[in-house]
C-alpha cells in the first residue's frame, strides 16, 4: 500500500509560534511511518516559510511543496494560522487539509463575533464590551473585569483586573496583541472544555488551575486536567449540546475545542478553538484518549475527515 504524503505545518507569525511548533512536532512524530510520509514545513515568526531542514522557502515554493502532498495538517494556532488565512491559502491552491475552513476559522478567532453567534443560539457568554485604541481610554470602571484581545490565544494579553488602578495597563497590554479588545465581566465557575470531532463529542475536561489560567499555567506544567470533568450528567449534556450546535452553526470541520465555564446557572461559553493545542499531552488528545481513541488514532481520524 502506498503511503499517504502528509504535510505538517507548524510555527506561525504570532505569539503562539512556539506552542504551534510543539504541537506540529508532536503530530509529525506520532504519524505512523508505515502509513504516512511526513513533509514538515515551518512558518517563521516573520511569516516566511522554511522547509524541514530550516532552509527558507518562498511562498510559491512552499505551495509547490504542498501540492505534492495528499493532505495538509495545518497545526498553526492563532492569527494568520487558525483564523482562516492558512485555510484560504490551501483552498486557493486546491490542496486538501484537515480542520476548519476559512469562515469557521475567522469567526471563532474573533471572540466578539463568537459571543454574538453563541448568544443567538441561546448559549450564554460573559457580558462584554468591545473597545478599540480610540475608545479604550473612555471606558469607565464599574467593577472587576477581564481584559483580552479579540483575537489572540494562549492567554496572551489577557488580564484579570480587580483594582481600577490596574485597568490602563491591562488595556494597553491587550491592545499590543490586537487593535480590538474586549472587557468582560468576571465569570466564576469551573473551567470545563469539550471537543467535537466530525460529529463525535469528546469526554469533558476540567482545568484545575490555581486562579487564572495564564500562559505560565498553560505551559509551565503546574496545571492538572481532570478527564472527565467531575460535573453532573445534566451539565455534561448541556455542554455537549452547546458545543455541537456551535460546531454546526460555525460550519467547523475536523476537530474544534469549546471552552466553557460551568457556573451555578449553567454553562457560559468562553471561546472556540478551531486548531486547539495538539501535543500528546494537550487537552484534545487527553479528552479523546479517555474515550479510548489514542493520539495516533485521533490523527488518523483527522486525516480521513480531510480526505472524505
Ligand atoms: N470572563 C472571564 N471570566 C473569568 N475568567 C476568564 C474570563 N475570560 C478569560 N478568563 C480566564 O483567562 C483565560 C484565558 O482567556 P481566553 O479568553 O481563553 O484566552 P485565550 O484565547 O488566550 O486562551 C481563561 O482560560 C480563563 O482562565
Ligand atoms: Mg482560552
Amino acid at each position: 500500500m502506498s503511503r499517504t504524503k502528509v504535510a505538517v505545518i507548524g510555527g506561525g507569525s504570532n505569539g503562539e509560534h512556539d506552542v504551534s511548533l510543539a504541537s506540529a512536532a508532536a503530530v509529525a512524530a506520532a504519524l505512523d511511518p508505515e502509513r504516512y510520509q511526513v513533509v514538515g514545513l515551518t512558518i517563521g515568526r516573520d511569516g516566511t516559510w522554511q522547509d524541514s531542514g530550516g532552509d527558507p522557502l518562498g511562498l510559491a515554493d512552499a505551495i509547490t511543496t504542498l501540492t505534492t502532498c495528499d493532505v495538509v495538517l495545518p497545526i498553526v494556532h492563532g492569527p494568520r494560522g487558525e483564523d482562516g488565512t492558512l485555510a484560504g491559502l490551501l483552498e486557493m491552491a486546491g490542496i486538501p487539509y484537515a480542520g476548519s475552513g476559512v469562515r469557521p476559522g475567522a469567526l471563532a478567532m474573533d471572540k466578539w463575533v463568537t459571543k454574538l453567534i453563541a448568544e443567538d443560539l441561546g448559549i450564554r457568554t460573559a457580558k462584554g464590551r468591545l473597545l478599540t485604541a480610540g475608545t479604550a481610554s473612555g471606558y469607565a470602571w464599574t467593577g472587576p473585569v477581564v481584559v483580552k484581545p479579540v483575537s489572540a490565544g494562549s492567554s496572551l494579553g489577557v488580564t484579570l483586573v480587580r483594582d481600577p488602578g490596574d485597568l490602563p495597563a491591562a488595556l494597553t497590554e491587550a491592545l499590543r496583541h490586537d487593535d480590538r479588545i474586549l472587557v468582560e465581566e468576571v465569570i466564576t465557575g469551573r473551567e470545563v472544555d469539550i471537543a467535537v470531532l466530525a460529529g463525535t463529542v469528546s469526554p469533558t475536561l476540567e482545568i484545575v488551575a490555581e486562579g487564572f489560567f495564564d500562559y505560565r499555567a498553560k505551559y509551565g506544567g503546574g496545571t492538572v486536567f481532570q478527564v472527565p470533568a467531575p460535573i453532573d450528567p445534566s451539565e455534561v449534556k448541556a455542554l455537549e449540546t452547546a458545543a455541537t450546535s456551535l460546531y454546526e452553526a460555525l460550519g467547523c470541520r475536523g476537530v474544534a475545542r469549546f471552552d466553557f465555564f460551568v457556573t451555578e446557572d449553567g454553562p457560559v461559553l468562553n471561546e472556540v478553538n478551531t486548531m486547539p493545542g495538539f501535543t500528546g499531552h494537550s487537552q484534545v488528545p487527553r479528552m479523546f484518549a479517555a474515550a479510548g481513541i489514542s493520539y495516533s488514532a485521533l490523527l488518523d481520524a483527522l486525516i480521513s475527515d480531510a480526505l472524505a
Side-chain angles (χ1 to χ4, degrees):
M1 205 178 77
S2 73
R3 296 191 298 169
T4 304
K5 195 168 169 186
V6 183
V8 178
I9 308 177
S13 52
N14 63 58
E16 290 185 280
H17 178 89
D18 291 335
V19 181
S20 301
L21 280 185
S23 287
V27 164
L31 290 170
D32 178 0
E34 300 214 334
R35 296 180 54 201
Y36 301 110
Q37 179 193 348
V38 176
V39 175
L41 287 170
T42 301
I43 302 176
R45 292 176 195 283
D46 61 356
T48 60
W49 293 63
Q50 290 145 30
D51 65 18
S52 53
D55 288 326
L57 268 184
L59 180 59
D61 288 337
I63 293 171
T64 303
T65 301
L66 292 170
T67 53
T68 68
C69 298
D70 299 304
V71 63
V72 178
L73 297 182
I75 314 292
V76 182
H77 313 306
R80 289 181 304 285
E82 189 177 352
D83 62 353
T85 44
L86 196 45
L89 185 75
L90 298 166
E91 288 283 346
M92 295 299 275
I95 308 165
Y97 60 94
S100 282
V102 175
R103 183 190 51 198
L107 296 175
M109 195 73 230
D110 187 309
K111 289 186 172 133
W112 180 56
V113 170
T114 303
K115 268 187 206 300
L116 302 179
I117 295 169
E119 293 283 345
D120 193 65
L121 293 168
I123 299 161
R124 226 184 105 201
T125 65
K127 278 195 202 64
R129 240 182 83 190
L130 183 75
L131 298 174
T132 63
T135 59
S137 59
Y139 180 79
W141 176 263
T142 53
V145 283
V146 172
V147 179
K148 59 173 83 169
V150 167
S151 298
S154 291
S155 301
L156 297 168
V158 183
T159 313
L160 172 61
V161 186
R162 295 200 186 280
D163 184 286
D166 296 334
L167 185 65
L171 296 170
T172 304
E173 176 57 17
L175 282 164
R176 277 197 331 111
H177 295 271
D178 196 359
D179 50 12
R180 297 178 309 142
I181 62 175
L182 278 168
V183 178
E184 287 183 352
E185 66 173 319
V186 181
I187 302 292
T188 306
R190 293 165 175 259
E191 279 195 73
V192 180
D193 300 348
I194 187 166
V196 179
L197 169 64
T200 311
V201 286
S202 73
T204 55
L205 174 150
E206 179 178 7
I207 299 160
V208 188
E210 294 243 332
F212 209 55
F213 191 36
D214 60 11
Y215 190 93
R216 205 155 40 100
K218 279 179 181 171
Y219 308 113
T223 300
V224 174
F225 294 150
Q226 191 160 352
V227 191
I231 54 175
D232 293 343
S234 63
E235 290 171 323
V236 174
K237 187 83 208 129
L239 295 181
E240 288 176 350
T241 305
T244 307
S245 66
L246 275 163
Y247 185 96
E248 283 169 11
L250 294 167
C252 293
R253 255 192 355 166
V255 74
R257 198 188 77 215
F258 300 84
D259 299 353
F260 291 90
F261 299 101
V262 171
T263 74
E264 284 177 358
D265 306 318
V268 174
L269 178 77
N270 180 33
E271 61 156 339
V272 179
N273 299 279
T274 55
M275 183 43 71
F278 238 97
T279 69
H281 53 264
S282 298
Q283 294 189 43
V284 166
R286 295 271 291 270
M287 292 166 175
F288 283 101
I293 300 168
S294 69
Y295 186 40
S296 59
L298 180 62
L299 297 173
D300 290 343
L302 254 186
I303 292 171
S304 326
D305 183 60
L307 293 172

